[in-house]
Amino acid sequence: QEWEFSIEQVLKRFALGILVPEQYYEQVNQYVEERDLKGKVTYHRFNPKDIAHRIFQQHDDRELIHHIEIKTSPYKDWIANEIATQYDYRCVMDLDAMRQLDRAILKNGLIKNGLHHEKDDRPASKSRQHYVLGWDNKEKIALLKERLRHVKDRIKVAKEHWRQLENQ
């Protein structure tokens, strides 16, 4: 949990992607090509035969892959392989450790990828209601319900204020 915010920042785009099993790949390509989707879609071709299991030459507990749990599913090995190879960041505790690595993240969300550094401190990026990782979304739903209740309360107050102004 202590790395949740930073890992969310690194893996969010990947997590929002769609896995397309091999037997549907051509259909999905055709569908996407023929339509204006009015938004962005990212999808990954999934063929279990294509999983090139990563051979760990040196086990490093700081690797991002060791800071997450992947739910058991037919896609688990593919997801683990993608994260281990494409998102091979090290979770480090300070800038000195980060300087020594090509790809690293700090708990506060600073991400280093080669010469590129990024940190997103916008309130929306830190809000759990925008998180996408996890095995269920109960906490996210609760946050959204609370926000909805707050917005409804504000609307109610605004309507009452409007009525008062009309009466004046």
Side-chain angles (χ1 to χ4, degrees):
Q1 285 184 332
E2 64 184 326
W3 290 97
E4 185 177 26
F5 171 68
S6 295
I7 292 173
E8 181 78 28
Q9 297 298 304
V10 171
L11 294 181
K12 186 171 193 162
R13 197 173 314 148
F14 174 69
L16 289 172
I18 302 167
L19 286 179
V20 178
E22 183 67 34
Q23 67 264 32
Y24 303 115
Y25 178 70
E26 289 304 323
Q27 289 172 285
V28 171
N29 269 343
Q30 188 166 352
Y31 183 90
V32 169
E33 172 60 25
E34 293 173 352
R35 287 166 180 76
D36 178 355
L37 301 175
K38 309 283 189 240
K40 179 179 178 178
V41 65
T42 301
Y43 55 98
H44 307 275
R45 186 177 191 167
F46 172 76
N47 186 339
K49 296 179 204 169
D50 294 339
I51 299 171
H53 292 285
R54 183 174 166 207
I55 300 169
F56 291 93
Q57 295 174 347
Q58 270 189 325
H59 179 75
D60 185 344
D61 288 337
R62 299 178 306 169
E63 290 179 90
L64 185 147
I65 190 72
H66 300 302
H67 289 264
I68 62 172
E69 292 179 52
I70 302 172
K71 194 171 189 175
T72 300
S73 78
Y75 310 106
K76 181 178 181 172
D77 290 342
W78 184 89
I79 292 168
N81 187 66
E82 283 295 300
I83 292 171
T85 56
Q86 302 299 317
Y87 300 90
D88 58 338
Y89 291 84
R90 300 296 184 271
C91 301
V92 297
M93 302 304 287
D94 55 51
L95 286 172
D96 289 333
M98 181 177 258
R99 275 188 209 98
Q100 298 172 20
L101 299 166
D102 190 47
R103 294 177 104 185
I105 61 175
L106 294 173
K107 286 181 189 177
N108 69 359
L110 180 58
I111 301 165
K112 177 186 178 189
N113 186 355
L115 300 176
H116 176 82
H117 295 70
E118 183 176 309
K119 185 175 183 218
D120 188 353
D121 282 335
R122 293 174 294 177
S125 75
K126 291 186 173 193
S127 171
R128 298 187 64 77
Q129 72 186 29
H130 296 288
Y131 282 19
V132 297
L133 298 176
W135 292 4
D136 68 50
N137 57 3
K138 290 175 189 165
E139 189 174 342
K140 185 173 183 172
I141 290 170
L143 287 168
L144 290 170
K145 283 182 178 178
E146 176 59 27
R147 183 166 184 229
L148 176 62
R149 188 193 60 71
H150 178 70
V151 169
K152 283 181 177 180
D153 289 347
R154 289 179 55 199
I155 290 171
K156 189 176 178 181
V157 168
K159 282 182 178 179
E160 182 57 35
H161 184 67
W162 179 263
R163 271 190 236 120
Q164 290 173 0
L165 290 173
E166 280 184 325
N167 289 338
Q168 289 178 358

